[in-house]
Amino acid sequence: MSLVNLPLNIIPDESSPEWLNKGDNAWQLTAATLVGMQSVPGLVILYGSIVKKKWAVNSAFMALYAFAAVLICWVGWGYRMSFGNQMIPFWGVPNLALDQKYLLKRAFSGYIPNATMIYFQFVFAAITLILIAGALLGRMNFHAWMLFVPLWLTFSYTIGANSIWSPTGWLFKKGLIDYSGGYVIHLSSGVAGFTAAYWVGPRATKDRERFPPNNILLMLAGAGMLWMGWTGFNGGDPYSVSIDASLAVLNTHVCTATSLLTWLMLDILFFGKPSVIGATQGMITGLVCITPAAGVVQGWAAILMGLMSGSIPWYTMMVLHKKVGFLKQVDDTMAVFHTHAVAGSLGGLLSGFFANPKLCRIFYLTSNWEHYIGLAYGLQSGKVSAGFQQMGVQILGIIFIVVLNVLTTSVICLLISLVVPLRLSEEELQSGDDAIHGEEAYALWGDGEKFDSKVNSIYGADDFPLKGAEVQMI
């Protein structure tokens, strides 16, 4: 068909070059925004409400700060270290991603411009740092956190992203299956958060013994945004509006619902009560587990993965954690080790087992099916060696990410401790938000602004025109 016969809205022009797919670009921008909303306001709300009241502002602000700081670092050097020209086998050359000539060129994958890809990859980098913060809530020095975010992004996240997601990365070339970040995001944040929690130290004794959420309903609102935002998290990774994106979205929600219900039933069976916080943890482990496999496994496999993601992390958190001395010693506030490191590793292994070679071909657009064949299908088709090879690559990826994050996170924490204390002082730990930020989350009667029957909610005592008469509360 000649260009003259095309509808006017799809005829290429200067603002819409021939390689651009408008539908893909529109979905990619939408998916990126959904992922961004998982962090802001999703995790900002969740963190601010799931902690003790005196830590609400600090916890929410750690998330908000990380989101802003990561963006500047990302366009400054982070993106091109992750997806730019190779400097060494696992790292790209640091460079700006701000010039219009670069931003308007076609991205390394898909039919979208670099500007869209940079935005999409940024929200993934940002949520990784925010997940790490979950392990550190309630005691980390905010100034230390301000230094930690750009350092960890530069020396840990970019290495993982380049190795696994960049077409020139060494693990990408080996055929590691990480559909949307089970390794790069969740395993990394779980291991890094746990490691950082070890170096920062524990919360105050009273906080460790009792740390009730200050608003469970708001916590559920944040959790709901996290769940629904995962539509963009996994649905955006084919970089196109493809049938594989549709499958990834459905698998994501099926696995998550199964995991939540499994965790809920275990809570009822062993503790006698349906825990809302427990159900939220089950939701998170389901989301994490399906992430590396979302578009390369069948629906029945997503249900099986949900059953395992709702039970295995439950066991490690509720049973194993209390038996292993080292796990008890490290104060991981939001249990990110279990919800992200354990669930992410589980998802990575199950990806290597359940990966359907035909679905992998659709996603990776490769004719070499044996490069991405799950062990289950290898056993079924007689290609056993290919299946075991895939499992080996998945295990290699776990080892690499764990070692990388233990080492880099430890070095970063030790370096920061030479400049500012990692942990707040005992006095600040007792006061919380007011001592750190000079602000508090709630100003209620008896806690903040004092109630006075002669003063209404708008006027102060000196401002309200009493004119000799008392004001009665309605």
Side-chain angles (χ1 to χ4, degrees):
M1 188 191 316
S2 63
L3 292 179
V4 294
N5 295 324
L6 290 173
L8 293 177
N9 64 318
I10 62 172
I11 293 178
D13 57 30
E14 188 175 358
S15 66
S16 180
E18 290 185 5
W19 51 261
L20 177 69
N21 185 307
K22 290 185 176 181
D24 290 349
N25 196 41
W27 166 238
Q28 212 62 38
L29 290 168
T30 303
T33 302
L34 286 171
V35 179
M37 292 182 70
Q38 289 182 290
S39 296
V40 180
L43 286 172
V44 171
I45 294 172
L46 193 151
Y47 284 3
S49 54
I50 201 172
V51 297
K52 211 170 186 177
K53 180 169 63 65
K54 71 176 183 178
W55 293 109
V57 171
N58 179 256
S59 300
F61 194 36
M62 284 180 72
L64 185 63
Y65 163 79
F67 193 81
V70 167
L71 177 54
I72 300 305
C73 298
W74 194 244
V75 297
W77 60 87
Y79 175 78
R80 297 184 79 164
M81 290 181 73
S82 301
F83 299 100
N85 298 326
Q86 289 295 109
M87 179 171 61
I88 51 179
F90 52 82
W91 229 357
V93 178
N95 206 341
L96 291 170
L98 292 169
D99 182 76
Q100 69 173 16
K101 290 183 179 179
Y102 179 76
L103 294 177
L104 300 183
K105 287 182 179 179
R106 183 177 174 180
F108 67 87
S109 183
Y111 299 94
I112 58 176
N114 277 325
T116 300
M117 182 65 79
I118 292 167
Y119 175 46
F120 182 76
Q121 295 294 346
F122 147 66
V123 291
F124 282 84
I127 200 170
T128 308
L129 267 301
I130 294 172
L131 293 174
I132 293 174
L136 308 169
L137 301 179
R139 85 283 199 171
M140 188 172 189
N141 184 343
F142 193 81
H143 297 119
W145 177 243
M146 292 177 70
L147 295 174
F148 181 89
V149 170
L151 288 172
W152 191 88
L153 175 78
T154 303
F155 296 103
S156 184
Y157 183 85
T158 56
I159 295 175
N162 181 277
S163 300
I164 294 174
W165 279 345
S166 173
T168 55
W170 71 279
L171 280 171
F172 182 92
K173 291 179 179 178
K174 283 187 174 294
L176 177 71
I177 298 174
D178 187 13
Y179 189 90
S180 197
Y183 289 79
V184 178
I185 296 171
H186 299 296
L187 179 56
S188 294
S189 62
V191 173
F194 188 80
T195 304
Y198 170 81
W199 290 110
V200 172
R203 288 167 287 171
T205 303
K206 289 184 178 179
D207 285 349
R208 287 201 76 177
E209 293 173 351
R210 179 167 171 75
F211 206 67
N214 67 82
N215 196 320
I216 288 183
L217 295 181
L218 270 182
M219 179 202 75
L220 286 175
M225 295 197 73
L226 193 65
W227 184 348
M228 296 313 299
W230 229 280
T231 298
F233 200 105
N234 289 345
D237 263 289
Y239 307 136
S240 66
V241 189
S242 65
I243 55 174
D244 193 54
S246 300
L247 177 66
V249 170
L250 183 60
N251 280 344
T252 296
H253 295 299
V254 167
C255 178
T256 303
T258 305
S259 182
L260 184 153
L261 295 174
T262 302
W263 195 295
L264 177 65
M265 293 306 298
L266 289 171
D267 276 349
I268 293 173
L269 286 173
F270 286 91
F271 303 118
K273 292 185 179 181
S275 168
V276 175
I277 297 176
T280 302
Q281 298 282 33
M283 176 203 82
I284 293 172
T285 56
L287 291 166
V288 170
C289 184
I290 194 62
T291 291
V296 297
V297 298
Q298 297 196 51
W300 58 264
I303 290 180
L304 293 177
M305 292 179 73
L307 290 170
M308 285 183 272
S309 65
S311 55
I312 294 175
W314 182 93
Y315 175 78
T316 64
M317 184 187 298
M318 300 299 179
V319 180
L320 200 61
H321 187 96
K322 299 173 182 178
K323 295 181 178 180
V324 180
F326 183 66
L327 291 178
K328 290 194 294 184
Q329 176 188 346
V330 179
D331 183 15
D332 178 359
T333 309
M334 291 283 291
V336 297
F337 176 79
H338 301 284
T339 57
H340 294 275
V342 173
S345 299
L346 177 64
L349 293 175
L350 294 177
S351 299
F353 187 80
F354 288 124
N356 183 304
K358 292 184 179 181
L359 294 176
C360 288
R361 184 183 183 186
I362 293 172
F363 175 60
Y364 288 104
L365 299 177
T366 176
S367 58
N368 183 9
W369 289 24
E370 291 192 14
H371 200 45
Y372 301 99
I373 181 169
L375 179 57
Y377 291 92
L379 295 172
Q380 181 190 44
S381 62
K383 300 177 180 179
V384 180
S385 60
F388 276 109
Q389 182 180 355
Q390 187 63 58
M391 289 296 294
V393 173
Q394 300 300 113
I395 294 170
L396 176 63
I398 292 173
I399 295 171
F400 172 72
I401 290 295
V402 169
V403 173
L404 168 68
N405 283 283
V406 169
L407 292 178
T408 56
T409 306
S410 295
V411 171
I412 289 169
C413 287
L414 290 172
L415 289 175
I416 292 174
S417 67
L418 299 176
V419 181
V420 294
L422 291 172
R423 189 171 180 264
L424 294 166
S425 67
E426 290 299 325
E427 182 180 351
E428 290 171 319
L429 289 174
Q430 297 306 315
S431 300
D433 290 340
D434 186 46
I436 303 164
H437 302 285
E439 298 163 319
E440 294 183 345
Y442 304 103
L444 305 175
W445 174 52
D447 181 21
E449 295 295 327
K450 301 299 181 182
F451 172 76
D452 188 332
S453 63
K454 295 183 180 181
V455 181
N456 77 351
S457 60
I458 300 176
Y459 295 95
D462 297 331
D463 302 324
F464 193 85
L466 294 177
K467 296 184 180 179
E470 290 190 355
V471 177
Q472 294 182 344
M473 291 293 293
I474 298 177

